[in-house]
Amino acid sequence: MTQYAQTQTTVSEYSELSILQRTDKRDIAYVVYGIVILLMVVCAYLMAIFGWLPHDPEEMQLELMLAGPGAPGHLLGTDFMGRDTLPRLILVIKAYFVPGLMYIAVAILLGGIFGILSGYYGNKYETVVTYITNIIDSFPRLILMLLVVAAFKPDIYYIMMVLGVTNAPLVSQLIKGKISMLRQKNFVESAIALGIPDARIIFKHILWFNCRSYLIIQATLGMGEAILLESALSYLGFGVQEPTPSWGNMVQQGANYLLQGQLWSSTIPAMAIMFTVLGFYLLGDGLNNMLEGKRQS
Amino acid sequence: MMVSRSAKPVVLYLTRELYVTFFLLIGVSLVVFAVLYSAPGDPLAAVFGGQVLSDAQREEMMRNLGISNTWYGQYWSWLVKLFNGDFGTSLRSGQPVLGEVTKLAKNTFYLTFGAMFFSLMIALPIAIYLAKRGTDRLGWVLMMFAYTTSAVPLFWSAYIVIYIYTRFFNTLPIGLATGESMNFTQMMLPVFMLGLGSGIISETVRFLRDEISRVFSEDYVRTARAKGVSVWKHALTEALIIPVSEMIASKIPFVIGGAIIVEQIFNWPGIGRMAWQAAQDRDYPVIMCITLVTALIVRLTSLLQKTLYVIVNPRASQETKTS
Amino acid sequence: MGDAILKVTDLKKHFIQGKGLMSFMQRQTIPAVDGVSFDVNTHETLGLVGESGCGKTTTGKLILKLSQPSSGNIVYDGIDIVPMSNREFRPMRSKIQMIFQDLDAALNPKMRIGQILGETIKIHNKHLDDSAVTARMYELLEMVNLKKNKLSNFPSELSGGEKRRVGIARTLSVNPKFIVADEPTSALDVSIQAQVINLMVDLQKQLGLSYLFITHDLRLMELVSHRVAVMYLGRIVEIGDAKKVAQHPRHPYTEILWSSLHVKQSAAALKVQQHNAKAGAAWDVFDFTEEDKGCRFAPRCPVFAEKGQPQACTQQSPTLQDCASGHKVACHFPL
Amino acid sequence: MNRLKLATFIFIAATVNAVNAEQDRVGGTLGYGEYGRPATIDPITSNDMIALRLTELIFNGLVGINEKQEIVPDLAEKWEVDKEGKNYTFYLRKNAKWHPKGADEPQPFTAEDVVFTFKIMAHPKTITPLKVRYEFIDTVEKIDNYTVKFVLKRPILNALAKFTFKIIPKHGPNNTNYLTREDPFVQRPIGTGPYMLKEVTANQEVVLIANPNYFGAKANIAQFVAKPFADQNIMMQALTFNAIDMIVTVNPRNLPELQGDKRFVLQPYNALSYAFFGYNVRNPMLNDARVRKAFTLAINRDEMLKSFFNGQGTVISGPFAPGSWAYNLDVKPQPFDKAKAAELLKEAGFQAGSDGILEKGGKKLALTLKVPIEKENEAVKRVVLAFKNYLKSVGADVQVSFMEWQAWKESIFAQHDFDIIFASWVFDDSADISSLFHSAEIGAWKNNFGGYTSPEVDGLIVESKLTLDHEKRRTIYRKLHEVLADEAPYTFLWTLTNYSAYHKKVRHVSIHPYKFFPYASSWFISGDESKI
Amino acid sequence: MNNSPLLKIEELRTYFYSRTKQAFIRSVDGVDLEVNKGDTLGIVGESGSGKSVSMLSIMGLIAARPGIITGQVWYQQEQARINLLAGLQDHVQVSKNDGRIMSVEKTDLAWQRRLEKNMLGIRGKEIAMIFQNPKSAMNPFFTIGHQIVENITRHTQYKSRKEAKERALYWLERVKIDSPQLRFYNYPYGLSGGMCQRAMIATALSSEAKLLIADEPTTGLDATIQARIADLLEELRAQTGVTIVLISHDMGVIGRLSNKIAVMYGGRVMESGPAQAVIDHADGKSHPYTEALLKSIPREDNMSSQGHLNSIDGEVLDTINVPRGCRFASRCQRINKSIEKMCLNEEPPLATVSDGHKIRCWHFAGV
């Protein structure tokens, strides 16, 4: 049962609804959820930066290892070293934050360059760009990451760097698609005809006005993926290394005790991953519907 | 401008793509080699494990193993061998690499494609439901399910599944461990886990949902409805065959990546585990071979997908001429 | 009518198909524009007609330097623009403008009308301050009969006619002297079409513009243009005074084009129709592999068929010959 | 813990699971879990512990070691040593037969094979980690079919123990001059041992079956299967769900669970290794022995051992295994004493800075601790993190940096780019510890990675090398122990007790600490589990 | 054979709900039309006048979710007279205020199911439809032949593959496609626009439907091709006797083909009647809107002295805020003081002027 109702008898000078009003409530809920997650991330980042942690993240209580949530003095329990889980969960954000931004920057920068070269300048570079992106696409990215990390350093910056490079083809395809779509609409050509400089067309018209929401969505989805990939690497031993906490290595260290029935120390960070990644997914979906107007009409 | 439709474009296209694939694989091998070479540690690691060797010893060993000291020397000799159909021998086990890899690649192949199939089996109905009915209550539950499966770390959910399984059935769902021949669950559980956890379900659902609703608003689908004939039959190619094949082709690298983890946990003898081992050993013939084989699988899948695209999409056979 | 503001001589654009690594295996040259010459006088409207795919839009884009000609000269106001680089040409863009067939062209879907107009004004008049820009925008809107409140709208909120007006306003914002109008009304309703055409005619008078008016709508062409050039497969087959070309076409192709408009078709046109139905698309009929293999229209030409397929038509490509004061035709056997 | 393999002696007695040998139980299959799988399974090219264990079952040496650590005859029935200690003559047993190669008849074992084995080991093209260990042998000579004579370059102490190396058949490898990994023999070896290789399955399981023609007492268990695992948690689960019968080394984290499980026997054996923190004395701050000693004092080794290893090990004070003849029991491990540590650091000139971190001459006491990554070994993580925490409490800032194994090795041994490392040395059956602390061993890819120099230590090492007298050497070693404990180039931590876990149906299990399986032929599987 | 019209549309309303504007877009707002057997009814109007939407509503091709269709559409099948919109009202609850729909509750799924049920045996079989942009309206993945054969085997007695193919080739010939044998295996992509439209017509007619709805069949094609497609339709109508509803914004095409014309504006029929009567505007005998439309056709005699074309000033009607009075009032040239009040406040009825010629204008209301 769907309800449609006209609010006014005459809609004078279309009271154009704000973006919030015209977006589906569910999408708003997604975005709100995503934003709450994002806010929590930012809060956690600030907390970590200023050291407002509920507990010393490095203090070990060797007699209280792998305690479940609610253990005395430990709201979310402790890890395999008897360290409190909560401040470490918060601290993770700090470890992820800058590298995550770097990953997005690398992906967008590289993908943008590829996309613009092949989409905007077309013929000249397309072959080369296609070749490069095909090479990147041919790698199973976990294997590539494993190689790079095993070879150089199991450092989150390296992980995010590889992730950025391997995500670039996707971004490039997106931008290329957008450009060719705009080209079909003669929009780019008319801008050239009007004497607008290339740089302005590319950056303002294409990237800023037409790709920004795509890129934001891509970035949110990508952040989720980054967290999951880091955790996969952690399982293989090449994720972020102690003493820097990462959700991946927290889950991994806890999972060693999972089969013995000690579920909590891995489940708590795993839940953190789940809620955050889900938040990114839903934020992506909601933003997509909101900004790209993907509602049925 | 117009060419009568025949097998020619497809054949031409395939020839060109295979030719490109060849160069692509060379490129891939160069990248891997560069990464490997610039990494600390050397090929002798595979032979000597934890031992510490002096410089003189290591030089002598390298000479005896026939390994050049320079990167281009090593790469070149590898390449020359490759063109003679020889992938070299594993530094660690001394076995011909190709034989070992293909033996295990078969297992990984079953695992990945099985998982792919499984996740499509889950994602497709959800995507169709969402596209046709929108996000009603059931649709929402289905969507959240699809998203949640992709939002948890694969290894953790695998552990959880094993934990539950062992407590319910009092046996370990791992074929290798329990006996000579695997039973159905032992075969299928890793496949299911990889299918669920490799993160492709959510993306497939998202992509297919949008694709299906887009195609169903196409003019020609409306025409089909106006003709009173089966709409699905008309929309099938563009709404399902093409996006599904695209999805398979583009997600194969992800699933292979996930296979590394599933292979470790479920003790599945595949190339993922081998790659992990070889990466640590700097066993470069093995790594090169594995990356080439996986890149080839990825590439061939995408080639297959593109060929399928050219076959099912008559426009494409024209486009391939220009692009 | 004044002097020629634009002189196009022997303009050629050959597209090469077949790219990528295996391009050597399949390469085909398509002479989309093949030796086109015409000139446009100041304050004049030159109509360019032809079927879709005959190269008229490409010609327009070549003049705008949106693609680089293979050869030939385009002289605008005494300056040959073909050898200019894009950077050198940029200042010239304020002189030559184009109205695109696509209503949404020029309108970035994510920008408000105000932003769209303001941007071009600012780019070409860097010294203007914000209030001057706004004043100029109002002026432009008035020029194209649009309400001021449209400035805050997105293009998707406008109707077809309004979009077209915004497009024209944006074109005018750079003070052009010469405008290539590529089917400016093809996507519009008849009633709106008339509004737009009237607007264009008014603007020509007010601002002293010259138009290259590209269309396939012959009725419109006849009414709006001063002179008409008829294109067929990349070549101009007839050019001359609009009234003359319409009423006394000399080229068989022009004759067919005009006669197809009338309810009762001429015998010749019906013949071509049959011919054409067999022949399929125009570009397939003619063999481009040999240079100058003859008249491109020959395979579809009723005269050619009538005259028993004369040698001249298949061997020699006809050139534009003056047949009456400024009325030129490229046909071995003009009507 | 990564094992830096190093030559040293074996001293530790293997423990025997005292079981009354009731009736002989022949038959059954023992599946045991291995973490990883062997690359090659011949005794010459293999370099991992998994292969070492397998070769124990498949091959024999000239001499063997019994459960009391005495040299006993194996392929050699008896032997003679000349007075100089340079010529060793072995008289071989005549009833030994090689496993059948393919469908061929089993061939007899002769002196040719011994000569062949040595020559192949010594050949420069043979790639084997063993080569360095047998450089003391000059020549080998076949006297007759069942007699061989070895001539040593110089007499060495306890040389006989080194003749435990495994003999391979002359008709085994395809190439008779040298052995490389390409040789099919390395994957399908034949030996003289109680078990012979049946197959390596598609799942990489190595299946061994009892050798019916074995010269010694026939093996009880009909089949040994080595099952490779890539995940220790799963291996553990495999044991608890009876998918395998034995785990060679139980991860410390699983000990509590197994201890409570009546179905399994946990059998301890010494790990033959010791763990340590090694210091880079090139760093001026660490060049001061007081600082290093302070660090040793600042960490609570007992607590760590108890919390992380279930208390299964012994804290040590020097570079020898406790209980060995070289270990100086008089040197007691330093007790945990933070106050004393702080005092020593103060003495060394360190002052607490504004942020609580000690400073000397404006330089902070900030050090990098480099640790190689080992998957699933959180014991390592625990130790280094605890170390970091302990040192923090005395005002030293330690940055822990985990590195991939190869990268770690390169930065420690080649570049010497570290302040502290955490690692462990593994003992095996030969050579000495001189390379660890002698100043001549400083340099790229040499064992004295920390760059520790001490004329006294150098002198003691040289002296010990020159003597052939066991007692004298012992005195020197005890002195060395004392000096090193005081100078603290390492912080010696502990030697661990390893545990093997197996199902209680497996009886009469005795384990060799290093090679694990030498006595496996006397193990048996009881069909009746209730009897224990 | 009774005399009831083949298609009779009564009070057809199609509304869309716009979430952005929180209001109903009244695309079709009470349309009454009759199509007799053998007629060619031309529906003309500007874009947005609801001409296409009304025909799509009849075919049940309106996207289910926000579309609301009310009214009756009577279709005369062989014997029975059936309502194509029967039963739909059961799933929709409409509440009106002042004659305007203010809110709607709709069970989408049931509504859609019912619609599909009604349409079974009608779409394609009884009523066929062709669209503008034939290239996108034909399935790019199937050959022309396949798409025709599919229609034939589904709706006619030619069930076997061979028969159906023969029949398809027959139809391809009928629409004057050259070398039908070859084109049969072509994909829409390989054909020119005109050729594609011919194939589309062949597909539509091949099911031997009684009624053909042609939605802007010539728009977007070259002028020369447009004329030919129009000729073809005329010819086929004469030969097969199919009833055609032709939708176009081009008065030229409509005038050329139709014998009856309906002029739509703002979702309403403004004028309908025999072609001659409607087109004959010389002495103000037709609706002002029709007249304005006819005058804006670019022709020599429609030019003003300043070289201006006649145009209809103002913009197309806003279908959300439909005015109370005559919908065309704001753009009407003929509005004058005497009837201004009426024009602005009350909607004129559809008055019969002469036999079958009805006009919705206060000028004619009194006649």
Side-chain angles (χ1 to χ4, degrees), chain B residues 39-42 45-55 57-58 60-61 64-65 89-95 100 103-104 107 159 162 166-167 170-172 174 176-180 182 263-265 267 269 273-274 276 279-282, chain D residues 3-5 35-40 45 47-48 124-129 131-133 181-184 186-187 202-205 227-231 233-234 237-238 241 243-244 257 373 375-376 404-407 409-410 413 444-447:
Chain B
D42 58 45
V47 184
F48 286 96
Q51 293 232 322
V52 175
L53 295 174
S54 70
D55 276 344
Q57 278 171 318
R58 103 196 354 256
E60 188 195 330
M61 292 299 172
N64 288 337
L65 279 169
T89 55
S90 160
L91 296 175
R92 182 166 181 266
S93 73
Q95 295 301 98
E100 273 194 22
K103 207 164 64 190
L104 296 182
N107 296 335
Y159 270 143
I162 290 177
T166 48
R167 258 116 202 109
N170 202 29
T171 172
L172 199 63
I174 288 161
L176 178 63
T178 42
E180 298 299 313
M182 294 195 208
E263 280 172 12
Q264 299 236 355
I265 294 180
N267 234 21
R273 253 167 76 184
M274 200 180 182
W276 182 74
Q280 294 177 79
D281 286 346
R282 307 287 186 273
Chain D
R3 285 160 167 83
L4 296 169
K5 271 194 214 151
Y35 184 48
R37 60 191 175 83
T40 57
T45 64
N47 63 13
D48 49 53
K125 280 202 169 173
T126 300
I127 292 171
T128 170
K131 201 170 291 171
V132 264
R133 266 193 247 168
R181 283 161 184 253
E182 279 82 13
D183 203 305
V186 305
Q187 295 298 328
N203 290 346
Q204 311 290 340
E205 298 173 4
K227 300 190 179 191
F229 284 83
D231 185 308
N233 287 306
I234 300 299
Q237 292 298 307
F241 290 98
I244 52 173
E257 196 188 357
I373 292 171
K375 192 190 161 210
E376 280 195 64
E404 195 267 338
W405 167 241
Q406 301 290 347
K409 232 170 73 177
E410 196 156 303
F413 284 95
W445 297 113
K446 288 192 170 171
N447 278 331

Side-chain angles (χ1 to χ4, degrees), chain D residues 158-185:
Chain D
N158 210 4
L160 208 49
K162 302 205 172 186
F163 287 96
T164 50
F165 66 82
K166 303 298 180 198
I167 306 295
I168 62 168
K170 195 178 177 188
H171 64 286
N174 286 353
N175 191 322
T176 50
N177 292 322
Y178 55 90
L179 189 65
T180 62
R181 283 161 184 253
E182 279 82 13
D183 203 305
F185 177 77

Side-chain angles (χ1 to χ4, degrees), chain A residues 1-17 21-25 295-297, chain E residues 17 19-24 26 65-68 97 100-108 318 320-321:
Chain A
M1 185 69 82
T2 323
Q3 292 198 0
Y4 311 101
Q6 184 158 336
T7 45
Q8 297 159 270
T9 31
T10 47
V11 187
S12 61
E13 194 53 43
Y14 308 138
S15 51
E16 187 64 36
L17 293 185
Q21 281 169 294
R22 77 180 119 114
T23 312
D24 193 307
K25 283 198 194 72
R295 50 214 134 78
Q296 282 160 325
S297 56
Chain E
Y17 186 71
R19 196 202 298 279
T20 8
K21 287 157 187 165
Q22 300 240 315
F24 292 102
R26 295 152 210 269
R65 289 262 273 155
I68 299 127
N97 174 19
R100 289 160 175 273
I101 292 176
M102 293 310 295
S103 75
V104 172
E105 281 183 34
K106 184 176 159 203
T107 323
D108 292 317
D318 166 9
I320 292 179
N321 289 314

Side-chain angles (χ1 to χ4, degrees), chain D residues 196-237:
Chain D
M196 50 194 202
L197 180 73
K198 186 180 166 211
E199 59 169 341
V200 179
T201 67
N203 290 346
Q204 311 290 340
E205 298 173 4
V206 183
V207 183
L208 305 178
I209 49 170
N211 177 8
N213 299 322
Y214 187 51
F215 57 81
K218 301 284 175 292
N220 291 328
I221 299 172
Q223 190 163 297
F224 264 78
V225 183
K227 300 190 179 191
F229 284 83
D231 185 308
Q232 291 185 2
N233 287 306
I234 300 299
M235 184 155 76
M236 173 64 195
Q237 292 298 307

Side-chain angles (χ1 to χ4, degrees), chain D residues 24 122 161 175 235-236 270 353 396 409 416 421 516:
Chain D
D24 273 0
N175 191 322
M235 184 155 76
M236 173 64 195
N270 196 297
K409 232 170 73 177
H416 304 299
I421 65 163
F516 202 80

Side-chain angles (χ1 to χ4, degrees), chain B residues 17 43 57 123 140 262:
Chain B
E17 284 299 302
Q57 278 171 318
W140 192 81
V262 169

